[in-house]
Amino acid sequence: MTETIGLVILAAGKGTRMKIETPKALARTAGRALLDYVVDAALGFAEDSGLSAEVGLVVGHRKELVEAWLSTHPKRDQLRTAWQQEQKGTADALKACFLNLPHFWNYDYTLVACADTPLIQASEFRTLFAALQADPSLVGVAATFDARDPKGYGRILRGHPGFHIVEEKDATDAERRVSEVNSGFYILRTRHVREVLGSIRNDNKSGEFYLTDLFQDQFSVRPVKFPSEEPFLGINTLEQLAEVTSLLRVQKLRDLMLGGVEFLNPATVHIDHGVIIGAGSIIYPNVTLLGHTILGDRVVVESGAFIRDSEIRAGSEILANSYLEGALVHEEVTIGPMARLRTGADVGTESKIGNFVEVKKSKLAKGVKVSHLSYVGDAEIGENTNIGCSFITCNYDGVNKHKTLIGSDTFIGSDCQMIAPVSIGDDAFVAAGSTITKDVPSGGFGIARASQVTKDGAARRFLKTKKS
Ligand code: UD1
Ligand code: CA
């Protein structure tokens, strides 16, 4: 029969030292909430280990924000919240979980994790679980490590058969000198929790209910020491948040380089955790790639590009200082330098968007060229159409937005305005300098400019310095 596990994540803490409005668990690093990392690691571990799992999030401070986060989470079916009204300590937090979610008592195992440790991965939980499973008489294991600076952590005091944990506040000087500390990550057999949790008291220096009291010398419990403290690094300040963000950055860049992505100067690039980049791509210095951005194979991104929630397909190039948000760029396209693609820009295969061109909510078919200084908004442009310099879709009449439709193999001369709604057919030609207010049919020629008047010798009437 499949074994079951309750993954309890303690997230009721206010994170006072962060000095931010949101609950600490929702503070963001590399484009995701701290909680996202821990939830992924815990669920990933359960899945790898063939355990049927559910997450219990213990929430307190501004719980409505955590609930809002949860409601859009892709794995929300596996996530529950439990409200801890008053923060009376970590044991009280676990109690709040069982009180709100009593079916968690039925799970074979209970995993406890903190919400503010984004470097934790499924592999740490696997190691911890393997230690518990290796000895059927064990009822609980705690992840520990030798801390460079043990200050603030509970110290591990190894006993027989088990061990116990003394919190810094309650420790003697000798106990404080112990460098092995408690990470705050545990896996327990739920029956052990059921036997002990209710009897934990708060007669200590903090007056808090300590979850660490689940571990006592007389219980069959064991500390599992990890070789590095990095995976367990918790975040209490914005400075620590920045440090962890740089560690995540290095991890992300390493993964991408292993996957065949070349960075000309990796130290200057920022890439969010969720960004995907295909092999053979080249990323220049000072590039920012955020959110759900996906770059296909062999994509080149030059310096100063800022790309958020956009998809750039194979072989395309984003030239220097371009700004893309919510855009879709098909294969073998050139964007920029200094172009701006806004939400809903959909640029077809082998198209070219040149410098100082802005495209918004417009679909450009294959081979379209808008090479210089233009605004394309609420438009559809057909295959191989060429748009001259300084083109403007006048899409907004002050109240509503209107569409501009341009067919395929059409030529629009430089400095044309399209007063939308308006449509230009296939194989049409619009003369330079035209302000188009009426449709031009397929094969048609449109011109809308005043004809020129030239008067010999009349310039001197307009020139300031008169020649006698
Ligand atoms: C706890 C451990 C300590 C360990 C350290 C590792 C106890 C008594 N001590 O210390 O041995 O070295 O973690 O970081 O458990 N939380 C709640 N409700 C509460 C209190 C805390 O949800 O009432 C949550 C916090 O939001 C946080 C986690 O529990 O995510 C740990 O709380 P924190 O106050 O950071 O733990 P410490 O007391 O520092
Ligand atoms: Ca505390």
Side-chain angles (χ1 to χ4, degrees):
M1 210 177 72
T2 312
E3 290 194 295
T4 56
I5 189 164
L7 308 167
V8 182
I9 300 178
L10 307 183
K14 195 169 170 183
T16 316
R17 283 183 282 161
M18 297 284 279
K19 305 200 164 93
I20 55 173
E21 279 299 301
T22 45
K24 179 163 79 171
L26 297 185
R28 294 177 82 78
T29 174
R32 315 165 82 207
L34 296 181
L35 206 42
D36 280 306
Y37 294 90
V38 183
V39 166
D40 272 11
L43 282 173
F45 145 72
E47 198 180 315
D48 298 345
S49 310
L51 294 164
S52 161
E54 195 175 17
V55 174
L57 282 173
V58 179
V59 295
H61 174 69
R62 306 213 58 190
K63 71 175 170 54
E64 67 287 356
L65 295 179
V66 183
E67 281 159 357
W69 166 88
L70 190 154
S71 68
T72 62
H73 197 283
K75 298 208 170 129
R76 57 187 169 275
D77 291 350
Q78 275 175 283
L79 307 182
R80 303 281 170 271
T81 55
W83 187 28
Q84 184 195 20
Q85 255 170 299
E86 217 187 311
Q87 282 164 57
K88 294 188 285 192
T90 44
D92 183 70
L94 186 58
K95 263 189 220 165
C97 177
F98 286 109
L99 204 68
N100 286 272
L101 307 165
H103 66 283
F104 271 55
W105 285 124
N106 303 330
Y107 294 142
D108 299 317
Y109 302 96
T110 299
L111 175 151
V112 180
C114 300
D116 61 354
T117 49
L119 298 177
I120 197 81
Q121 295 195 344
S123 57
E124 278 79 42
F125 293 129
R126 282 200 300 267
T127 304
L128 203 52
F129 188 57
L132 180 62
Q133 278 193 313
D135 180 351
S137 75
L138 275 179
V139 295
V141 286
T144 71
F145 55 86
D146 281 319
R148 278 189 291 268
D149 176 11
K151 196 165 176 293
Y153 286 110
R155 306 300 202 279
I156 301 298
L157 302 175
R158 288 175 180 256
H160 299 285
F163 71 104
H164 70 277
I165 302 169
V166 59
E167 290 306 300
E168 169 133 320
K169 273 189 188 161
D170 306 300
T172 63
D173 287 347
E175 288 167 341
R176 281 190 192 156
R177 281 195 287 277
V178 171
S179 64
E180 185 179 7
V181 301
N182 172 27
S183 69
F185 288 79
Y186 324 104
I187 301 180
L188 302 128
R189 296 194 196 272
T190 307
R191 68 179 149 78
H192 174 66
V193 182
R194 191 193 273 279
E195 279 161 23
V196 183
L197 189 61
S199 63
I200 291 178
R201 300 208 312 256
N202 65 344
D203 49 356
N204 51 54
K205 289 252 171 70
S206 325
E208 282 184 17
F209 295 91
Y210 290 164
L211 191 54
T212 45
D213 287 351
L214 289 176
F215 302 96
Q216 298 294 341
D217 291 350
Q218 71 273 21
F219 298 148
S220 178
V221 290
R222 188 175 294 165
V224 178
K225 193 155 149 188
F226 285 75
S228 159
E229 65 185 280
E230 195 175 276
F232 305 103
L233 283 179
I235 289 176
N236 294 304
T237 62
L238 288 176
E239 187 185 357
Q240 288 169 341
L241 184 70
E243 281 164 16
V244 164
T245 303
S246 1
L247 286 170
L248 284 168
R249 224 189 115 257
V250 170
Q251 244 175 39
K252 178 76 188 174
L253 289 170
R254 195 190 299 139
D255 289 350
L256 288 169
M257 288 188 251
L258 284 172
V261 180
E262 185 182 343
F263 292 92
L264 300 191
N265 184 352
T268 62
V269 170
H270 178 93
I271 300 184
D272 272 353
H273 184 92
V275 172
I276 297 169
I277 308 181
S281 291
I282 302 175
I283 312 295
Y284 280 57
N286 290 315
V287 165
T288 304
L289 305 174
L290 302 178
H292 300 290
T293 292
I294 301 174
L295 308 189
D297 292 345
R298 293 172 288 100
V299 167
V300 175
V301 183
E302 288 190 354
S303 295
F306 180 102
I307 306 179
R308 191 200 298 277
D309 297 332
S310 297
E311 181 178 349
I312 320 293
R313 299 207 175 140
S316 286
E317 291 186 275
I318 310 299
L319 305 184
N321 296 315
S322 294
Y323 190 107
L324 283 71
E325 204 160 13
L328 169 59
V329 173
H330 292 254
E331 291 79 1
E332 310 290 339
V333 171
T334 308
I335 304 288
M338 294 160 289
R340 179 171 183 208
L341 301 190
R342 292 166 53 198
T343 304
D346 178 338
V347 182
T349 310
E350 292 164 26
S351 288
K352 179 178 187 302
I353 301 296
N355 42 217
F356 306 110
V357 173
E358 173 181 347
V359 181
K360 183 217 82 171
K361 212 172 162 188
S362 293
K363 191 169 167 57
L364 279 54
K366 184 179 172 190
V368 170
K369 289 195 176 66
V370 189
S371 298
H372 330 269
L373 203 69
S374 292
Y375 172 58
V376 180
D378 304 300
E380 280 176 35
I381 303 179
E383 271 187 37
N384 299 321
T385 282
N386 185 89
I387 308 282
C389 175
S390 195
F391 167 87
I392 299 171
T393 51
C394 306
N395 58 329
Y396 185 50
D397 60 13
V399 184
N400 295 306
K401 300 274 168 69
H402 301 284
K403 291 201 81 167
T404 298
L405 305 175
I406 301 177
S408 53
D409 298 301
T410 282
F411 183 91
I412 309 285
S414 291
D415 194 26
C416 284
Q417 299 88 48
M418 301 286 135
I419 312 295
V422 73
S423 89
I424 312 288
D426 299 334
D427 305 299
F429 193 109
V430 174
S434 294
T435 298
I436 297 294
T437 54
K438 294 183 223 133
D439 294 352
V440 177
S442 286
F445 171 83
I447 183 165
R449 65 182 182 219
S451 40
Q452 183 171 327
V453 177
T454 306
K455 296 180 182 172
D456 284 343
R460 71 185 137 78
R461 281 171 41 208
F462 302 96
L463 291 170
K464 276 196 181 135
T465 35
K466 312 258 188 235
K467 285 184 187 141
S468 51

